[in-house]
């Protein structure tokens, strides 16, 4: 018969499989965020619309803070800040680089950068959404608060990219050059 972990008061977090999963996913997003501090500058360099450059620069700065927030979360749970390679984020950014290469001389380049960026943000939104839910479930309120701050930044970054796409980038992408 399966006993529920909450039925045993002596049960520590380290014995809780959900905590193990939380810790694992934390290492995954830690790798992903650090990777993004290197991937975002490449996107910034290639972006053309001033608004897009500004939004990406702003999010690069936020991303550096997000890494620091994760450092704090690791210390809150008494763990060393360790990164575990996120194959998904490596793939999303690699695909983005290929897309930027394919469209490097096209008026659709900004739209392509936005497409790549929004895929990144959506992966992050999924990751932080689950991390917040796990932290809440595990009673890690301070960690949940920090992770929620990042979740909100990822959501805002995604929204901003949609705005830029709809206000300028998608229209620019239709420019036919000869
Ligand atoms: Zn991220
Ligand atoms: Fe992030
Ligand atoms: Fe991952
Ligand atoms: Fe982000």
């Amino acid at each position: 018969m399966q006993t529920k972990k909450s039925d045993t008061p002596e049960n520590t977090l380290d014995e809780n499989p959900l905590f193990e999963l939380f810790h694992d996913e934390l290492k995954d997003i830690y790798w992903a965020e650090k990777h993004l501090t290197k991937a975002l500058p490449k996107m910034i360099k290639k972006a053309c619309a001033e608004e897009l450059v500004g939004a990406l620069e702003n999010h690069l700065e936020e991303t550096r803070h997000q890494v620091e927030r994760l450092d704090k979360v690791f210390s809150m749970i008494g763990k060393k800040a360790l990164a575990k390679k996120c194959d998904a984020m490596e793939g999303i950014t690699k695909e983005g680089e290929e897309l930027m290469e394919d469209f490097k001389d096209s008026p659709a380049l900004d739209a392509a950068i936005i497409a790549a960026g929004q895929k990144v943000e959506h992966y992050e939104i999924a990751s932080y959404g689950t991390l917040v839910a796990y932290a809440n479930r595990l009673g890690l309120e301070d960690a949940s608060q920090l992770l929620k701050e990042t979740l909100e930044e990822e959501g805002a970054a995604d929204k901003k990219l949609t705005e830029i796409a709809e206000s300028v980038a998608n229209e620019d992408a239709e420019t036919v050059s000869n």
Side-chain angles (χ1 to χ4, degrees), residues 29 32-33 36 89 124 128 154:
I29 198 70
E33 294 288 18
L36 288 169
M89 191 55 84
E124 294 183 300
Y128 283 104
E154 309 298 17

Side-chain angles (χ1 to χ4, degrees), residues 28 43 57 63 72-73 80 90 109 120 125 131 134 143:
D28 179 275
M43 295 166 83
E57 279 174 343
T63 300
K72 284 186 199 146
V73 174
K80 248 204 267 179
E90 186 184 56
L109 178 59
V120 168
I125 290 165
L131 282 167
Y134 296 165

Side-chain angles (χ1 to χ4, degrees), residues 28 86 88 123:
D28 179 275
C86 172
Y123 181 85

Side-chain angles (χ1 to χ4, degrees), residues 35-172:
H35 182 67
L36 288 169
T37 63
K38 291 172 263 170
L40 277 164
K42 296 183 203 168
M43 295 166 83
I44 292 167
K45 234 188 270 173
K46 292 186 175 155
C48 174
E50 212 178 310
E51 217 186 334
L52 179 57
V53 173
L56 294 171
E57 279 174 343
N58 178 60
H59 199 53
L60 172 60
E61 200 45 41
E62 282 177 338
T63 300
R64 293 191 179 116
H65 285 123
Q66 292 171 357
V67 172
E68 289 170 12
R69 253 182 227 132
L70 290 171
D71 281 322
K72 284 186 199 146
V73 174
F74 277 109
S75 106
M76 281 170 176
I77 61 168
K79 300 288 182 193
K80 248 204 267 179
L82 288 177
K84 178 186 168 193
K85 187 175 171 192
C86 172
D87 291 326
M89 191 55 84
E90 186 184 56
I92 291 169
T93 54
K94 187 168 172 278
E95 193 173 284
E97 280 187 34
E98 286 165 11
L99 198 62
M100 289 193 292
E101 186 54 33
D102 290 347
F103 285 85
K104 66 170 187 268
D105 299 316
S106 165
L109 178 59
D110 276 357
I113 292 170
I114 291 172
Q118 290 197 280
K119 288 178 186 180
V120 168
E121 296 317 313
H122 279 250
Y123 181 85
E124 294 183 300
I125 290 165
S127 303
Y128 283 104
T130 46
L131 282 167
V132 167
Y134 296 165
N136 288 340
R137 175 81 215 172
L138 295 163
L140 303 168
E141 283 166 36
D142 294 347
S144 164
Q145 198 46 51
L146 284 181
L147 295 165
K148 217 179 286 168
E149 280 174 37
T150 297
L151 176 60
E152 277 161 22
E153 286 175 356
E154 309 298 17
D158 178 55
K159 261 205 185 124
K160 183 76 197 165
L161 290 175
T162 297
E163 272 171 38
I164 299 168
E166 290 178 349
S167 64
V168 293
N170 291 353
E171 192 181 331
D172 288 352

